[in-house]
């Protein structure tokens, strides 16, 4: 795969660091990859957009899924994952996840993560949607992500792994042969490094998280602007299954005009026995699925949206008053505090909830070792598409996927043949090759995507979204092509440009997939069509900034690298 030659317009790097590996992102995937690479003797640098503990991992409430309980098996975990994935999971990727997952969790515990224990001293496991067994390990009741983040950050600092915080990654550096040579980045603020610089390394691991900020309302933090996916596309990598954006069914409803990060009400609340009800107190999920409120997330989100449409309501309710104050305070202290901060007391009243953008099941296409279609570029966590999640992620498989595939990436880098010297990157161009959008375009993109490409989609809504995004893209491109003008380089303009890039890909894939499957719900194509659409949609960016969209011939992922590279 050759590079597109497209880079974000930015000043030339004013400083540089040399390393064996640069890991971009500091969630469970990024920090696990960094720790394993460092343990293998590789000079490793972690670059993160905010502070080390400020990514999506810390917001994960429910827990991490693995077959750790009495009577549970990897095969049962596999079966639940495949059902949730609606026919598009890569079975080998799932097998690796569920068989390597239990030991990976044990290694996480050995690193210092402290999970809640039962009275007998073993792990206290709970259940979430789509799982037929209690297999979700949690910490602090509903603060699992925060505990995992704490343990990994402490380990990274204790082992002296080099870190660059408050740094927005810009673009992949490549050499004359198209191989990875590091990244450019912009450090926001003063310190040892300031402004635009570079980390030169023959291996780059993308662990940048999600892109939830492409929608107006999301559970994702403000930093989740699709930077890793956009970087990979500009570098020539392929992206797959980006149409499958999971909308979490139960997000605290703060009003129809609420924007930005919204408080999540974990699926574990339903796992412990909370009920979804309408304004009349009727449990509307009963009879829609054998697991009722604990059906896979796409089914629950659709059930909520249907009831909202039937009753012309803005939200539904989650009723857990029967838990009592003691259970709320012990098991879900974070959620309880968030609800009360917004004037709602779950102990005495039902909680208003509605779906909001939560997780990208698709991303940068990888193989079972996390290798992308660009030599030397790896991806893991939410930014990646390993094939594990298919058309809909099973609850609490995200932390496990980040953990397992980060370890696999580190093992692949450690046993590979890194160049004796850091590859020489192609020279920086002072001429803009990619138009930057003004900061206010971010809100325009979010509203376009929320109206046309959120939970409910149709040919008409997606066409309107595509037209709106095209106008933004065309106006910026025309200004650049005609007179070389573009918005001033800066964090706001780089983020808006990245959001437009991932939004265009998402809409293109959603328009191509003319069926309803998993978390892709086409109102005009309400049935699942395995004959025509049990396959993947792959997108890459052309050098002229247009999108190349193709559909695979089968449900299997094509190889990411040539056969000779795969054998290494």
């Amino acid at each position: 795969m050759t590079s597109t030659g497209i880079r974000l317009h930015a000043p030339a790097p004013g400083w540089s660091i040399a390393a064996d590996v640069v890991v971009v992102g500091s969630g469970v995937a990024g920090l696990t990859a960094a720790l394993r690479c460092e343990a293998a003797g590789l000079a490793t640098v972690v670059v993160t957009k905010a502070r080390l503990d400020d990514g999506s991992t810390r917001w994960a409430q429910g827990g991490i899924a693995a077959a750790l309980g009495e009577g549970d098996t990897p095969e049962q975990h596999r079966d639940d994952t495949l059902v949730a994935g609606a026919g598009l999971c890569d079975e080998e990727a799932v097998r690796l996840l569920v068989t390597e997952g239990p030991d990976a969790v044990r290694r996480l515990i050995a690193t210092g993560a402290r999970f809640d224990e039962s009275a007998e001293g073993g792990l206290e496991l709970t259940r979430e949607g789509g799982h037929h067994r209690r297999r979700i390990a949690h910490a602090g009741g509903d603060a699992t992500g925060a505990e995992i983040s704490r343990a990994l950050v402490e380990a990274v600092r204790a082992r002296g792994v080099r870190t660059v915080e408050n740094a927005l990654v810009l673009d992949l550096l490549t050499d004359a042969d198209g191989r990875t040579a590091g990244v450019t980045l912009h450090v926001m603020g003063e310190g040892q490094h300031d402004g635009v610089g570079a980390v030169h390394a023959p291996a780059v691991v993308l662990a940048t998280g999600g892109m939830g900020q492409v929608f107006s309302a999301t559970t994702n933090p403000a930093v989740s602007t699709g930077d890793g996916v956009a970087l990979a596309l500009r570098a020539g990598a392929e992206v797959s299954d980006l149409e499958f954006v999971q909308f979490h069914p139960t997000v605290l409803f703060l009003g129809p005009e609420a924007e930005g990060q919204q408080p999540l009400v974990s699926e574990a609340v339903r796992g412990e026995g909370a009920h979804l009800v309408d304004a009349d107190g009727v449990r509307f999920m009963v009879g829609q699925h054998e697991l009722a409120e604990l059906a896979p997330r796409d089914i629950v989100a659709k059930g909520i949206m249907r009831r909202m449409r039937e009753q012309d309501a803005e939200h539904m309710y989650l009723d857990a008053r029967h838990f009592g104050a003691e259970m709320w305070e012990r098991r879900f202290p974070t959620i309880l505090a968030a609800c009360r901060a917004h004037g709602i007391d779950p102990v005495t009243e039902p909680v208003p909830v509605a779906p909001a953008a939560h997780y990208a099941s698709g991303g940068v296409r990888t193989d079972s070792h996390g290798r992308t279609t660009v030599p030397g570029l790896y991806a893991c966590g939410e930014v990646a598409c390993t094939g594990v999640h298919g058309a809909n992620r099973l609850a609490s498989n995200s932390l496990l996927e980040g953990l397992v595939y980060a370890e696999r990436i580190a093992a692949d880098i450690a046993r590979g043949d890194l160049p004796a010297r850091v590859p020489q990157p192609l020279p920086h161009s002072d001429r803009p090759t990619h138009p930057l959008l003004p900061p206010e375009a971010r809100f325009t993109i979010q509203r376009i995507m929320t109206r046309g490409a959120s939970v409910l989609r149709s040919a008409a809504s997606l066409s309107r979204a595509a037209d709106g995004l095209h106008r933004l893209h065309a106006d910026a491109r025309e200004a650049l092509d005609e007179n070389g003008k573009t918005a001033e380089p800066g964090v706001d303009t780089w983020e808006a440009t990245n959001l437009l890039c991932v939004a265009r890909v998402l809409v293109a894939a959603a328009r191509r997939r003319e069926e309803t499957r998993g978390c892709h719900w086409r109102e005009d194509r309400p049935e699942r069509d395995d004959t025509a659409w049990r396959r993947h949609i792959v997108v890459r960016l052309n050098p002229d900034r247009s999108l190349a969209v193709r559909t695979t011939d089968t449900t299997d992922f094509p190889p990411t690298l040539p056969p000779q590279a795969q054998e290494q």
Side-chain angles (χ1 to χ4, degrees), residues 68 104-115 123:
L68 295 162
V105 172
R106 294 183 185 102
R107 284 189 289 272
L108 179 61
I109 293 171
T111 301
R114 297 188 292 266
F115 290 93
L123 287 176

Side-chain angles (χ1 to χ4, degrees), residues 199-485:
V199 181
H200 296 141
V204 171
V205 181
L206 291 180
T208 51
M211 55 182 195
Q213 291 291 328
V214 79
F215 295 98
S216 296
T218 177
T219 63
N220 289 188
V223 295
S224 298
T225 51
D227 308 319
V229 172
L231 173 150
L233 284 162
R234 290 191 295 271
E238 292 184 344
V239 168
S240 184
D241 298 355
L242 216 63
E243 69 272 30
F244 297 117
V245 176
Q246 187 177 82
F247 285 76
H248 198 288
T250 53
V251 175
L252 185 62
F253 181 75
L254 300 180
E257 303 303 319
E259 294 184 336
Q261 186 177 10
Q262 310 291 301
L264 178 67
V265 182
S266 170
E267 196 152 322
V269 178
R270 282 175 280 138
E272 296 292 351
H275 302 144
L276 280 167
V277 298
D278 61 19
D280 297 321
V282 177
R283 287 182 63 190
F284 55 87
M285 285 304 299
V286 175
Q288 292 198 36
H289 189 275
E290 62 167 334
L291 296 176
E293 285 94 350
L294 283 177
R297 286 178 179 173
D298 63 310
I299 294 171
V300 178
K302 291 170 189 175
I304 292 173
M305 293 299 294
R306 285 194 190 100
R307 197 66 156 195
M308 286 166 57
R309 286 195 301 178
E310 290 169 3
Q311 300 187 345
D312 193 24
E314 294 178 324
H315 60 82
M316 290 288 109
Y317 294 92
L318 190 65
D319 191 352
R321 289 174 290 180
H322 55 284
F323 284 6
E326 190 278 332
M327 180 173 175
W328 268 109
E329 291 165 1
R330 175 184 60 82
R331 183 67 180 83
F332 301 110
T334 307
I335 299 169
L336 179 63
C339 289
R340 285 177 170 170
H342 291 283
I344 301 156
D345 190 349
V347 177
T348 60
E349 60 186 316
V351 178
V353 293
H358 182 58
Y359 190 89
S361 292
V364 184
R365 190 166 73 80
T366 75
D367 64 9
S368 62
H369 300 285
R371 298 177 290 199
T372 74
T373 50
V374 175
L377 178 65
Y378 296 79
C380 57
E382 191 174 355
V383 71
C385 183
T386 62
V388 159
H389 303 310
N392 179 53
R393 175 178 67 90
L394 181 65
S396 288
N397 266 358
S398 52
L399 292 175
L400 188 71
E401 185 203 31
L403 191 63
V404 167
Y405 280 86
E407 291 189 340
R408 295 186 66 80
I409 285 173
D412 190 74
I413 295 173
R415 68 170 168 261
D417 297 321
L418 290 177
R421 295 182 178 179
V422 175
Q424 183 64 35
L426 293 172
H428 177 86
S429 172
D430 291 328
R431 183 182 182 278
T433 59
H434 192 47
L436 298 179
L437 270 66
E440 59 270 20
R442 176 176 184 145
F443 305 103
T444 304
I445 294 165
Q446 290 173 335
R447 290 175 184 130
I448 288 171
M449 294 298 288
T450 298
R451 286 194 298 264
S454 58
V455 181
L456 303 179
R457 302 168 178 174
S458 67
S461 76
L462 290 167
S463 179
R464 288 192 296 270
D467 289 345
L469 297 173
H470 176 73
R471 283 193 296 272
L472 286 172
H473 177 70
D475 289 348
R477 185 180 62 189
E478 184 177 337
L480 177 63
D481 291 347
E482 288 187 358
N483 52 36
K485 290 185 177 179

Side-chain angles (χ1 to χ4, degrees), residues 91-112:
E91 294 201 23
E92 175 61 12
V94 175
R95 185 190 67 79
L96 292 171
L97 178 83
V98 300
T99 56
E100 297 181 11
D103 282 342
V105 172
R106 294 183 185 102
R107 284 189 289 272
L108 179 61
I109 293 171
T111 301

